[in-house]
Amino acid sequence: MSLQDCFTFFLLTFVYGTCEEDFIHQQPLVVAELGSSVTLPCFHSDDYVTTVSWYKLSADKKPLLIAYSTHNSEGVTYQKAFDNTNRFFITIASGSYNLTIVNLEKEDFATYYCAKFFLNIMMFGEGTILLRNETDRNISTSVSALSFWSPVVCILLIISVISIVLNIVLVIKKNRKKETTEQLRSQINQIETDDLNYAALHFSKTKPTTSRRSSMKTIQETIYSETTIH
């Protein structure tokens, strides 16, 4: 490695290390609710800057360039994915390059990086995590779950009530049938008992009559015998 290359490497390393500490500053975390507006600040030093830009990094996706501006220019160039939404705005001021997002959507909650391009080096800030308010998320989740499960719960409840009522009706019918059968059996047994009692009573009444007839016949025979002897 030549002396010039060593000097260049030393210079770039020195500048890179200095700028890494003092060049870009971002707020680490911003919490917002769905549908609200939020501003992500980016503070920087104007030394050696040629371009300033914002990037969006979502989970499991490639970084997306939102917009960029050249140094000492008030114009902003938005990328197509963000130019037609009318929700992403860049505010340029001395030493700041802030990103404002209005009417936050679910896909907007991600990590945003402010970047500077200088001396053919791209420098990124620490990144700002845009986090959705947990209270808002829990409420939305509860409402969504309630709206999804309410019809199902109502249907299941109605089916359960109908099933219980049918079971009660079947039990009542079964008990009534059982009672009716027992009553019929009782009536039949009573009728049979009455018939037996009647037969026994009738037999007991007719038996003395037969005895009396026998007695009368004996008397008649006796009288007839006596008459014949005389």
Side-chain angles (χ1 to χ4, degrees):
M1 182 180 291
S2 64
L3 181 60
Q4 183 178 0
D5 292 336
C6 290
F7 177 76
T8 303
F9 177 77
F10 173 77
L11 179 62
L12 292 177
T13 304
F14 174 77
V15 173
Y16 182 85
T18 302
C19 293
E20 185 177 14
E21 295 178 356
D22 302 327
F23 196 71
I24 306 172
H25 292 286
Q26 292 184 242
Q27 187 173 343
L29 178 65
V30 174
V31 180
E33 296 182 357
L34 192 67
S36 63
S37 300
V38 66
T39 297
L40 309 181
C42 174
F43 303 101
H44 63 87
S45 172
D46 289 333
D47 297 335
Y48 310 106
V49 174
T50 57
T51 305
V52 187
S53 56
W54 271 99
Y55 287 85
K56 174 185 177 182
L57 179 61
S58 300
D60 300 327
K61 293 183 179 180
K62 295 180 180 180
L64 297 177
L65 176 60
I66 300 174
Y68 66 91
S69 301
T70 58
H71 184 52
N72 294 328
S73 173
E74 295 181 357
V76 180
T77 302
Y78 294 91
Q79 297 303 298
K80 292 183 179 180
F82 303 93
D83 188 23
N84 299 326
T85 61
N86 294 323
R87 297 191 304 108
F88 292 82
F89 302 95
I90 300 294
T91 304
I92 302 175
S94 178
S96 66
Y97 193 74
N98 300 334
L99 171 64
T100 299
I101 309 174
V102 299
N103 192 19
L104 284 172
E105 298 179 357
K106 183 178 179 180
E107 294 76 13
D108 296 333
F109 295 95
T111 303
Y112 294 83
Y113 290 92
C114 183
K116 308 295 181 179
F117 191 77
F118 68 104
L119 296 178
N120 295 325
I121 298 176
M122 179 68 75
M123 287 289 300
F124 287 90
E126 304 90 345
T128 299
I129 299 175
L130 179 56
L131 187 64
R132 183 174 175 181
N133 193 322
E134 290 294 335
T135 304
D136 174 60
R137 181 184 299 180
N138 293 334
I139 294 175
S140 300
T141 303
S142 301
V143 172
S144 299
L146 182 61
S147 61
F148 175 78
W149 284 108
S150 291
V152 178
V153 172
C154 291
I155 293 174
L156 292 176
L157 182 60
I158 293 173
I159 293 175
S160 300
V161 171
I162 293 175
S163 177
I164 293 173
V165 171
L166 290 177
N167 287 331
I168 293 174
V169 172
L170 291 175
V171 170
I172 293 175
K173 285 186 176 181
K174 186 177 180 180
N175 291 335
R176 287 183 177 178
K177 184 177 180 180
K178 184 177 180 180
E179 291 177 357
T180 303
T181 303
E182 291 179 353
Q183 289 178 358
L184 289 175
R185 287 180 180 177
S186 178
Q187 291 177 1
I188 292 173
N189 292 333
Q190 184 66 34
I191 291 173
E192 290 178 352
T193 302
D194 292 342
D195 290 342
L196 290 175
N197 292 334
Y198 177 78
L201 181 62
H202 181 71
F203 179 78
S204 62
K205 288 181 178 181
T206 55
K207 188 174 181 179
T209 303
T210 305
S211 300
R212 284 196 295 269
R213 287 181 180 179
S214 299
S215 300
M216 290 295 296
K217 185 176 180 180
T218 302
I219 295 171
Q220 289 177 358
E221 290 179 351
T222 303
I223 295 172
Y224 180 76
S225 300
E226 291 178 357
T227 304
T228 304
I229 295 173
H230 290 289

